[in-house]
Amino acid sequence: MLTDIEIAQAAEMKKIREIAEDMGLSEDELESYGSYMGKFSDEYLKKIEEKPFGKLILVTAINPTPAGEGKTTVTIGLGDALRRAGKKTMIALREPSLGPCFGIKGGAAGGGYSQVVPMEKLNLHFTGDFHAITSANNLLAAALDNHLQQGNQLGIDPKRIILKRCLDMNDRALRNIVIGMGKRVDGVVREDHFIITVATEVMAILCLAEDINDLSRRLSRIIVAYNYKGEPVTAEDLKVVGAMTVLLKDAIRPNLIQTLEHTPAIVHGGPFANIAHGCNSVRATKTALRSADYVVTEAGFGADLGAEKFLDIKCRMAGLKPDAAVLVATVRALKYNGGVPKDQLSDENLDALGKGICNLGKHIENLQKFGLPLVVTLNRFVSDTDAEIEFVRAYCAERGVKLTVSEVWAKGGEGGRELADEVLRLLEEEESQYHPIYDTELPLEEKIRTIATEIYGAKGVEYTAEAKKALADITKLGFGNLPVCMAKTQYSLSDDPKLLGRPEDFTVSIREVYVSAGAGFVVAIAGSIMTMPGLPKVPAAERIGIDENGMTVGLF
């Protein structure tokens, strides 16, 4: 059996110019990055501004497990299936981060015969967007420390610096550091921190900005620190917003690649859904919606994280109205939620399936609360039995939702035909009643409580003294009407990664709260979630290399 990377390397790709021509772009409306990748020109993005939107289909999933769910794989396969059905379709995805690529999961371009290509370039540097974001963030950090060194005219309190440096890599040793050691000219000694690039406010800003001017305005509002009077100090105060914008002027333009079946795919931006808002860029989604009749997009991790933020933050800010949702699950993942060890997931076990399927049930309820027409799809594994599939089908039917079976990993778009047919039926017969789960005019604590109780199923929320004070300060500064971006483990509906299935009678613990004024949301950090991940005992990097023919191996 071929690996994902072997399938991708054997693919016969079209030149990106051909993909663009099929979309109706002229030669000047796409800037090529090699033969198989490109960025849309500013002229094209401006030309299509008045075009009506196509249909927007959100793909989300149950909580991820070591058994695998295949959300990106299903997203790509559904796009290919809709295109096979004669529909003008595009896919809109996030860019992979190098952190998990070399950490736990390897590449993030789909799998099997449902992939976007060129897979290697996408996973390794791509068009340089993440490097630009890293550079812009770290330029701001350098300017801040230089300001301290040069006399600190803004009166910045070194104990209240909010901005963190970043790196697109899992490096736990950089979470908490001391900088400025050495001679007097080497800077002011203070505690500092690193976060992964995808968790930065600069990444969130790039993904939520409507255009380059909006990007610049949002960058200027980044709160980097507080002065001795307790007043916020912004990026605008440090006078480097123009330079940051220049670093990001190409990164803000969406990227175009293709699936194995040559369906156009926009891949742009990549915030993690467990520690950021977890969606591809607004520009990418709107470009796809104005360029196709059907757009399939995904939100990161489970529906409690990525989908909630897609619906409560991104769609609200961008004025988007999703038309339908696809909820991805696997029999293996549901059995894992039911207590089956990873090495026994291939064995039929209806009892465990019955115990773990409540995780799927909670996500169904949550998506229905947002008013979305919904279909559940099982990403099928060869070990799945007919009895197990029928068990899930009956469970979904009891909740008024149809179950489809996807075999896109093995069959590409052909394996997504059943799912595509049901999505098209939903779009034709059911009107989306999309609405966010809370009103932004509610107090911040009430918004956090709504997410915790309505979406996670918690009985309540508790705060550290520091988090309580931060909520009060943020509200006093005038940011109380912003939406909330929860940072929480992806492995559980709760803030404890060990609580699988559908936990009950638990409390969500908020240990830290801060405002991302440029992005336009307040971040609440729950439990022990880290904004700089670490490498596992055996990182994926150990199996990645170059063979004697110069080909990359081991990348998924």
Side-chain angles (χ1 to χ4, degrees):
M1 182 181 294
L2 295 177
T3 63
D4 290 348
I5 192 171
E6 288 170 337
I7 292 170
Q9 289 171 340
E12 293 185 10
M13 291 182 284
K14 286 186 177 181
K15 296 293 178 67
I16 198 63
R17 291 281 178 194
E18 294 181 64
I19 301 294
E21 286 171 11
D22 290 344
M23 292 175 55
L25 275 71
S26 69
E27 185 173 345
D28 296 331
E29 290 175 337
L30 188 84
E31 180 183 357
S32 295
Y33 278 60
S35 298
Y36 304 108
M37 307 185 301
K39 277 187 174 288
F40 292 99
S41 71
D42 291 325
E43 291 73 21
Y44 176 75
L45 297 174
K46 189 171 184 62
K47 184 178 81 172
I48 64 172
E49 279 182 349
E50 302 304 317
K51 285 193 171 185
F53 285 167
K55 298 289 188 181
L56 181 58
I57 304 151
L58 169 67
V59 179
T60 184
I62 62 172
N63 292 99
T65 70
E69 287 68 52
K71 174 167 50 64
T72 304
T73 301
V74 169
T75 301
I76 296 165
L78 174 57
D80 285 338
L82 288 169
R83 191 162 175 265
R84 281 173 175 249
K87 307 300 181 182
K88 187 178 182 182
T89 305
M90 292 193 72
I91 297 164
L93 304 172
R94 294 170 301 155
E95 300 177 43
S97 162
L98 290 176
C101 182
F102 293 118
I104 295 176
K105 66 187 291 186
Y113 290 91
S114 184
Q115 295 190 59
V116 284
V117 285
M119 183 259 224
E120 293 169 65
K121 290 184 181 294
L122 172 62
N123 282 300
L124 306 173
H125 308 301
F126 198 27
T127 57
D129 293 345
F130 282 23
H131 298 307
I133 292 165
T134 302
S135 296
N137 181 90
N138 291 344
L139 169 63
L140 182 57
L144 188 156
D145 279 295
N146 184 59
H147 184 87
L148 295 178
Q149 173 74 10
Q150 303 297 343
N152 194 12
Q153 292 181 337
L154 293 171
I156 294 171
D157 183 350
K159 297 288 189 181
R160 297 197 66 192
I161 290 174
I162 306 301
L163 182 72
K164 297 177 175 64
R165 288 171 161 81
C166 71
L167 185 73
D168 188 33
M169 195 64 63
N170 294 359
D171 195 342
R172 71 177 80 242
L174 293 178
R175 287 174 184 161
N176 306 291
I177 60 173
V178 176
I179 62 171
M181 304 288 284
K183 299 179 181 178
R184 182 180 179 86
V185 296
D186 295 328
V188 175
V189 177
R190 68 177 182 88
E191 180 182 350
D192 200 7
H193 311 270
F194 269 79
I195 58 178
I196 193 165
T197 296
V198 289
T200 62
E201 186 174 358
V202 177
M203 171 65 83
I205 286 172
L206 181 128
C207 288
L208 291 168
E210 293 282 351
D211 53 36
I212 193 75
N213 294 322
D214 188 29
L215 174 76
S216 186
R217 286 191 296 268
R218 287 172 177 269
L219 291 172
S220 71
R221 298 198 296 264
I222 295 175
I223 296 174
V224 299
Y226 292 89
N227 63 21
Y228 287 111
K229 297 178 181 179
E231 300 164 334
V233 178
T234 65
E236 183 176 28
D237 295 327
L238 292 173
K239 302 177 181 179
V240 291
V241 172
M244 294 171 70
T245 306
V246 168
L247 283 171
L248 297 168
K249 70 181 180 66
D250 290 327
I252 194 176
R253 293 189 289 127
N255 308 296
L256 178 67
I257 54 174
Q258 63 190 288
T259 71
L260 292 174
E261 298 185 12
H262 314 306
T263 300
I266 299 180
V267 185
H268 191 227
F272 285 176
N274 58 347
I275 50 181
H277 74 285
C279 310
N280 69 328
S281 76
V282 167
R283 284 195 111 193
T285 304
K286 289 189 172 181
T287 299
L289 285 168
R290 291 175 175 136
S291 303
D293 297 328
Y294 297 85
V295 174
V296 186
T297 192
E298 67 166 344
F301 289 128
D304 56 318
L305 288 169
E308 185 273 317
K309 295 169 186 179
F310 178 86
L311 298 165
D312 277 331
I313 297 177
K314 177 177 175 176
C315 289
R316 190 199 309 258
M317 284 190 188
L320 299 172
K321 182 182 178 182
D323 296 283
V326 176
L327 179 58
V328 180
T330 65
V331 168
R332 292 167 60 86
L334 294 175
K335 288 190 291 189
Y336 186 86
N337 269 283
V340 176
K342 186 179 176 181
D343 60 357
Q344 297 175 26
L345 292 173
S346 295
D347 301 331
E348 181 178 278
N349 191 328
L350 294 177
D351 288 340
L353 184 57
K355 292 176 183 177
I357 203 168
C358 55
N359 186 267
L360 173 62
K362 179 56 176 162
H363 291 299
I364 290 173
E365 290 176 22
N366 287 348
L367 291 168
Q368 290 173 334
K369 288 179 182 180
F370 286 100
L372 294 180
L374 172 67
V375 56
V376 174
T377 193
L378 275 181
N379 184 23
R380 186 166 194 174
F381 282 68
V382 292
S383 61
D384 298 348
T385 68
D386 290 343
E388 289 172 328
I389 293 172
E390 290 309 311
F391 185 96
V392 180
R393 192 184 308 280
Y395 183 87
C396 292
E398 289 173 1
R399 285 149 186 80
V401 178
K402 183 173 180 179
L403 176 77
T404 64
V405 177
S406 296
E407 297 183 88
V408 294
W409 187 90
K411 301 178 181 179
E414 176 63 26
R417 179 184 296 181
E418 182 187 0
L419 173 59
D421 287 345
E422 177 60 13
V423 167
L424 291 171
R425 186 197 67 78
L426 285 176
L427 294 175
E428 185 173 328
E429 298 180 9
E430 297 189 26
E431 182 74 22
S432 172
Q433 304 298 322
Y434 157 71
H435 55 83
I437 201 72
Y438 58 80
D439 189 324
T440 53
E441 295 306 312
L442 290 172
L444 287 170
E445 283 194 44
E446 184 62 21
K447 284 179 278 200
I448 293 171
R449 188 199 67 81
T450 299
I451 296 170
T453 57
E454 292 292 319
I455 302 301
Y456 306 159
K459 66 179 181 180
V461 182
E462 60 183 22
Y463 299 87
T464 62
E466 293 83 359
K468 270 278 192 184
K469 184 179 185 305
L471 282 169
D473 291 344
I474 289 167
T475 301
K476 187 177 179 181
L477 287 169
F479 298 114
N481 63 343
L482 295 181
V484 172
C485 181
M486 298 285 282
K488 178 186 76 71
T489 179
Q490 66 271 33
Y491 297 117
S492 171
L493 285 160
S494 74
D495 58 1
D496 180 351
K498 295 179 182 178
L499 295 181
L500 302 181
R502 182 174 182 167
E504 295 179 348
D505 199 35
F506 66 92
T507 300
V508 171
S509 301
I510 304 297
R511 76 171 198 267
E512 182 181 352
V513 180
Y514 60 89
V515 61
S516 292
F521 52 66
V522 171
V523 179
I525 298 182
S528 58
I529 189 72
M530 294 288 184
T531 53
M532 169 56 87
L535 292 172
K537 187 173 183 179
V538 182
E542 293 188 11
R543 66 172 184 264
I544 297 172
I546 303 285
D547 69 12
E548 62 276 9
N549 299 313
M551 301 291 284
T552 301
V553 295
L555 185 63
F556 220 50

